[in-house]
Amino acid sequence: IDPASRRPGFYLFYDDNQALYRHAGWRLPDDPMFRYHLDENLRNTRTIHETLLAYYRRSEGGTPVAIGPEGRDIEVVRYGPRQNLVRALERKIHDLVVAEGVPAGEIVVLTPHGSDSPVYGMSCAGDVPFARDRNEQGVTVTPPPDSVLATSIFRFKGLERQVVILVEAEDIRADRRDEMLYVGGSRARGHLVLMEMSG
């Protein structure tokens, strides 16, 4: 209900920087919609926000500004050849949960892959349980709240966690790299970790 007119209202929130699922020919109607540009970032720390502006396409509304805390630096973890990813990820999650006290349910591991990533085969990282948001039949399920979630950047669009760990970014196609890194990285409220192959 629109409080001013008491008539039913419909609100549509749209960010063209997060249009991962593209539909040819679709666009917002020009009329009778009233457009209001939201230009304050209330989700991310300023450090995360300013880092991700490198991947942000300027739109008609201009560039948003983060008004939250400064936050910690973006963390880059290099782990050698691809087969070392799972072990490096286990160590990183152990550090976050055990050493830093981050609740497991506030951590998400995001990959550009929908089904064939080694992170989907993980059931735990030491004593920390892992979960997926779909079962073996591909049906969406609600993961346990005390587990680290492993899912794709596509499936996690629009959601958020305190800590986001981006993996396998080197597998993103060059023509989609900016938008995928922007969407995946901006899911992090407080800390963003990028895990990269080295060598």
Side-chain angles (χ1 to χ4, degrees):
I1 303 285
D2 180 356
S5 64
R6 305 296 296 165
R7 294 182 306 188
F10 181 78
Y11 294 87
L12 177 64
F13 296 91
Y14 176 75
D15 181 355
D16 57 0
N17 278 267
Q18 297 190 44
L20 294 182
Y21 299 100
R22 296 186 178 129
H23 301 284
W26 187 90
R27 66 182 183 85
L28 288 173
D30 294 324
D31 191 57
M33 298 182 72
F34 170 77
R35 294 181 186 230
Y36 182 81
H37 297 287
L38 302 175
D39 56 5
E40 293 181 343
N41 179 343
L42 304 175
R43 170 186 287 140
N44 314 116
T45 64
R46 281 180 285 166
T47 299
I48 293 171
H49 172 84
E50 288 162 12
T51 299
L52 295 175
L53 282 181
Y55 308 109
Y56 183 84
R57 296 184 318 272
R58 273 45 177 193
S59 62
E60 59 181 284
T63 303
V65 177
I67 62 173
E70 185 70 27
R72 59 194 289 184
D73 290 339
I74 308 301
E75 183 177 359
V76 178
V77 176
R78 293 184 173 85
Y79 58 86
R82 185 177 294 270
Q83 59 264 30
N84 293 352
L85 170 59
V86 169
R87 184 70 190 116
L89 184 55
E90 288 173 342
R91 285 195 301 269
K92 181 71 244 172
I93 289 171
H94 178 273
D95 290 346
L96 288 167
V97 175
V98 176
E100 297 188 33
V102 178
E106 279 296 328
I107 302 171
V108 64
V109 178
L110 296 180
T111 172
H113 298 290
S115 60
D116 57 352
S117 170
V119 301
Y120 293 142
M122 297 175 65
S123 60
C124 62
D127 294 331
V128 181
F130 252 66
R132 289 199 61 191
D133 56 356
R134 61 170 63 182
N135 62 24
E136 293 178 1
Q137 291 74 39
V139 177
T140 299
V141 296
T142 301
D146 59 347
S147 300
V148 172
L149 175 62
T151 190
S152 73
I153 295 171
F154 285 89
R155 288 180 61 82
F156 206 68
K157 185 175 79 75
L159 303 175
E160 61 186 45
R161 287 287 191 280
Q162 184 64 23
V163 178
V164 167
I165 304 174
L166 280 176
V167 299
E168 302 174 305
E170 62 274 5
D171 295 343
I172 300 172
R173 287 185 352 220
D175 63 323
R176 304 211 70 183
R177 184 172 175 79
D178 285 2
E179 65 183 346
M180 295 280 279
L181 289 176
Y182 175 78
V183 171
S186 62
R187 305 305 92 209
R189 294 195 305 268
H191 186 35
L192 176 59
V193 181
L194 177 61
M195 300 194 70
E196 295 182 337
M197 285 195 299
S198 60

